[in-house]
Amino acid sequence: LHTIGRGSLVKCLQKVDTFLHRNIGTNVVAVQEEKNGFKSLNAVQAERQEQAERSVLISCHSRTNEKKFLKYIANYGDIQKYFFYESYGMYAVVEFANQESVASLFEGTAIPSISHESVVPFKSRLLSMRNLDSVDLPNQPSGKKRQAQTSIPINELIQRLSKEESIDQQITSLTEAYQLTEENCRLRFLVCSLLKDIAAGFFPECTIKPFGSSVNGFGKLGCDLDMFLDLDGISGRNATIPKSGLFLEYQMKRANLERIVTQNILSVIGECVDQFGPGKILNARCPLVRFAHQPSGFQCDLTANNRVAMKSTELLYLYGELDPRVRHLVFTVRCWARAHGITSSIPGAWISNFSLTVMVLFFLQRRSPPIIPTLDHLRDLAGPEDKSVIEDNDCTFVSDFSKIQLESNTETLEQLLCEFFEFYASFSFRTLSINIRKGKEQNKPEVAPLHIQNPFETTLNVSKNVNASQLDRFVALCQESSWLIQQNNTAPSRDGTKGKATITPWGVSTLLLPSQVAGIKTRKRRKFEPASERIKSLLESLKNTNQQNQS
Ligand code: GTP
Ligand code: MG
């Protein structure tokens, strides 16, 4: 380093990088973006999409002999990675080292001939492994290779967390139990890639990208798969038209509204999935087609023209990558909210997971010193390449993580969780709006029980759907949980008895047990009696009853 100097070394490394890319095919986007240990969401998407294109999904018998299966598939090319999972039957995801192997696999694949039925001869990378010999038991896919694609039930989680030694460990353990696995993530990209093959029949240059919690870092095993049909990359949109003389343009259907065009496109693709592919349409109202993808077990939401949601996904991903406490806290709060019915899988007047995540981010911006920067700050750090304006909305923010300087906040997860509940237990929802762009509460611009400014479409409220009673329940639960966690913040000492020692819920586990205040309906009633007092007495009476029952 002394002899050649730092600048020359960097140049030299860049040359090696270029050489590797040209000669060995290293994903240069990923290499460049991975500097400073962070990968941008775009780099992750590009890498995962490329993996998915080399992959196939194979339905197989639950007693499939793993060795024979792999030996057979390996006839068509080198296998880079594979795993088995169960979802209404056993499936295998096989990723080849080269995409050509998929084509050669197709050459050796037959169209089913069924004596009394007809088939739609639609070929895809969803295949079935058949075996004319009797199926053999030994060497089935081992438990490790048979990946579960759903999260553990809440009771099991409560038990697991109760065994941890500290609240910080409980929170980390919760994230580990709930977050998407590597395999689940691959499966999500593969489903998008399979759907892209269908859409590409009409729009060969399209891409289908996952967004939302499948890729923003906050997805829980079993969450829906939000997909975005991207038609912007279709060539010819920016073709230069001569000033005079002849030129050709495509003859295309027109409609008054973009919304109608989107709806027509989505409904045709949805219909194809339903008629040719393995999906069942659940709902096809603009702006999305919702269908169940049977082989993966995912509920899929396909949308188009949804660039702002893609930007929100990118932003959430960035915040989650900046500090590990962000993801841990979001996972814990989301799990807590789901356990108490604050959030729901059915749309309604409840707080959405997206709103809840923004509330956590806002809380982390309000710490002293702040754990994450404001969106305005991220916009100020943006370079020209980051500029993004979507339908007149400024969606610009920095993509180079190395430009972001974080402040040194050393609060523990336990402190943050307690503070989160306190913060929202006493937040002035009546007058103030939550605003992650400014990182400061603002006066509410309109009447709505809960006002969370949409980070990019700043005139909109992301929690417009939430009614007063749902907000009341949230506040009451924050008050209860704040008190509960302070009362139960130390792990009970384990008695020496081996084996069947009873596990007492403590710390985060107690927050996931059924609440005593969920029935609170109106704000008025709380005026006469401080909620904390009422909760305290309710809990005390419950504790006493429990103790009496146990003794
Ligand atoms: P779960 O599916 O509940 O795990 O979370 P999710 O983040 O994927 O939420 P959802 O499927 O409801 O929405 C998908 C994505 O759309 C979110 O991550 C956001 O990027 C975006 N989104 C959802 N709701 C809103 C909203 O009210 N306003 C805005 N601007 N974007 C939203
Ligand atoms: Mg989602």
Side-chain angles (χ1 to χ4, degrees):
L1 186 61
H2 277 300
T3 332
I4 64 170
R6 204 181 154 84
S8 311
L9 181 67
V10 170
K11 272 191 197 139
C12 180
L13 286 173
Q14 279 168 349
K15 281 198 174 138
V16 172
D17 185 27
T18 315
F19 172 84
L20 284 174
H21 174 56
R22 289 210 187 115
N23 297 284
I24 311 175
T26 317
N27 187 337
V28 86
V29 184
V31 171
Q32 277 172 353
E33 307 260 359
E34 213 170 333
K35 61 189 172 192
N36 316 308
F38 292 114
K39 255 189 213 176
S40 78
L41 183 58
N42 284 336
V44 174
Q45 295 247 20
E47 193 178 306
R48 296 263 182 212
Q49 268 166 4
E50 193 272 327
Q51 278 171 353
E53 302 264 303
R54 290 186 269 113
S55 305
V56 294
L57 183 53
I58 306 178
S59 152
C60 41
H61 198 280
S62 61
R63 291 182 298 175
T64 297
N65 181 303
E66 185 177 336
K67 260 195 185 156
K68 278 192 193 168
F69 175 91
L70 292 176
K71 197 169 161 219
Y72 178 80
I73 300 290
N75 286 328
Y76 298 102
D78 293 339
I79 297 172
Q80 180 111 339
K81 182 167 168 95
Y82 73 94
F83 60 91
F84 290 87
Y85 71 91
E86 283 183 30
S87 160
Y88 312 105
M90 172 94 90
Y91 287 87
V93 171
V94 178
E95 181 191 312
F96 286 107
N98 300 299
Q99 204 175 346
E100 299 79 63
S101 308
V102 176
S104 82
L105 185 80
F106 278 177
E107 278 171 28
T109 301
I111 290 180
S113 67
I114 308 165
S115 48
H116 302 296
E117 286 173 306
S118 301
V119 292
V120 178
F122 173 74
K123 291 183 180 177
S124 78
R125 282 179 285 142
L126 172 63
L127 312 161
S128 295
M129 178 65 88
R130 300 284 179 221
N131 188 355
L132 295 177
D133 309 328
S134 60
V135 276
D136 26 14
L137 272 173
N139 197 6
Q140 294 173 56
S142 60
K144 195 165 169 289
K145 288 260 180 274
R146 240 188 234 218
Q147 298 286 335
Q149 304 302 319
T150 48
S151 57
I152 59 169
I154 188 89
N155 287 342
E156 224 173 281
L157 180 73
I158 291 174
Q159 295 264 319
R160 188 185 290 192
L161 300 189
S162 303
K163 291 181 199 156
E164 298 293 350
E165 312 253 296
S166 69
I167 291 185
D168 278 47
Q169 279 173 12
Q170 288 187 322
I171 294 175
T172 319
S173 171
L174 184 148
T175 311
E176 280 162 10
Y178 268 18
Q179 70 192 354
L180 300 183
T181 58
E182 165 68 22
E183 285 73 19
N184 194 270
C185 193
R186 279 171 189 261
L187 188 56
R188 284 170 190 269
F189 275 89
L190 178 52
V191 172
C192 288
S193 173
L194 295 176
L195 191 64
K196 193 217 108 173
D197 286 353
I198 294 181
F202 309 102
F203 308 104
E205 296 157 289
C206 77
T207 53
I208 292 192
K209 290 181 185 149
F211 71 100
S213 61
S214 295
V215 284
N216 66 15
F218 303 118
K220 174 190 159 201
L221 277 171
C223 69
D224 67 357
L225 171 55
D226 302 293
M227 294 184 276
F228 165 63
L229 170 70
D230 189 354
L231 299 172
D232 283 0
I234 293 183
S235 53
R237 282 190 198 274
N238 302 321
T240 37
I241 295 166
K243 294 229 166 64
S244 61
L246 298 178
F247 78 97
L248 282 172
E249 66 176 21
Y250 295 97
Q251 213 182 84
M252 288 175 168
K253 282 243 164 172
R254 289 149 201 242
N256 290 340
L257 293 172
E258 194 169 1
R259 192 182 157 82
I260 294 176
V261 172
T262 305
Q263 179 156 21
N264 292 345
I265 295 172
L266 290 181
S267 65
V268 169
I269 295 170
E271 201 53 33
C272 287
V273 177
D274 200 283
Q275 301 291 335
F276 305 161
K280 263 275 138 282
I281 293 190
L282 305 171
N283 197 339
R285 270 198 326 219
C286 208
L288 62 83
V289 172
R290 173 165 294 170
F291 63 91
H293 186 260
Q294 190 248 327
S296 61
F298 295 144
Q299 179 186 297
C300 303
D301 280 350
L302 177 66
T303 58
N305 274 330
N306 209 353
R307 300 217 146 266
V308 179
M310 203 69 216
K311 272 284 163 191
S312 318
T313 304
E314 235 177 285
L315 180 69
L316 261 50
Y317 170 84
L318 183 143
Y319 276 130
E321 290 291 296
L322 285 182
D323 187 302
R325 289 172 292 181
V326 179
R327 285 185 70 239
H328 289 312
L329 208 60
V330 170
F331 267 98
T332 309
V333 170
R334 278 190 175 204
C335 175
W336 163 85
R338 189 73 185 85
H340 295 293
I342 292 286
T343 53
S344 164
S345 54
I346 311 157
W350 359 99
I351 301 177
S352 70
N353 268 335
F354 179 66
S355 298
L356 203 55
T357 309
V358 177
M359 289 172 92
V360 176
L361 296 178
F362 180 72
F363 160 74
L364 294 172
Q365 290 175 333
R366 300 298 287 139
R367 303 309 300 151
S368 180
I371 292 182
I372 49 171
T374 66
L375 177 52
D376 270 350
H377 182 67
L378 296 178
R379 185 207 48 210
D380 295 343
L381 294 176
E385 68 286 1
D386 299 321
K387 190 155 178 61
S388 165
V389 178
I390 303 168
E391 290 155 15
D392 295 334
N393 298 302
D394 185 7
C395 302
T396 307
F397 61 91
V398 65
S399 62
D400 181 353
F401 290 71
S402 68
K403 289 189 190 163
I404 306 169
Q405 296 286 324
L406 296 176
E407 303 204 42
S408 62
N409 175 310
T410 54
E411 284 173 293
T412 63
L413 288 169
E414 177 179 348
Q415 284 170 323
L416 290 172
L417 187 63
C418 295
E419 296 284 339
F420 172 86
F421 293 131
E422 295 225 334
F423 183 80
Y424 284 113
S426 56
F427 189 85
S428 178
F429 287 105
R430 212 171 46 79
T431 53
L432 300 176
S433 161
I434 290 164
N435 186 318
I436 60 163
R437 182 164 275 284
K438 301 260 170 275
K440 229 169 167 268
E441 38 284 272
Q442 308 285 302
N443 287 332
K444 257 191 201 178
E446 63 192 42
V447 190
L450 175 60
H451 196 280
I452 304 175
Q453 191 201 51
N454 185 321
F456 297 119
E457 293 161 293
T458 51
T459 55
L460 303 179
N461 171 13
V462 300
S463 53
K464 198 174 71 187
N465 61 314
V466 177
N467 66 21
S469 79
Q470 288 304 322
L471 179 64
D472 280 350
R473 289 188 62 236
F474 173 77
V475 173
L477 276 158
C478 283
Q479 290 167 343
E480 182 194 43
S481 298
S482 153
W483 183 82
L484 259 180
I485 193 119
Q486 285 171 47
Q487 299 303 305
N488 297 285
N489 60 0
T490 41
S493 58
R494 305 267 147 78
D495 56 10
T497 49
K498 280 189 186 152
K500 287 185 185 166
T502 47
I503 300 162
T504 319
W506 75 279
V508 178
S509 301
T510 53
L511 301 182
L512 305 178
L513 294 171
S515 154
Q516 303 312 307
V517 296
I520 290 178
K521 283 275 181 320
T522 62
R523 276 157 190 259
K524 266 189 188 160
R525 273 159 52 188
R526 286 216 304 279
K527 280 192 180 153
F528 301 105
E529 184 188 9
S532 53
E533 282 309 307
R534 212 178 54 251
I535 297 159
K536 223 178 195 170
S537 63
L538 265 169
L539 287 165
E540 284 303 336
S541 71
L542 185 90
K543 263 191 179 170
N544 293 339
T545 328
N546 276 350
Q547 275 162 9
Q548 279 161 16
N549 289 346
Q550 278 166 13
S551 57

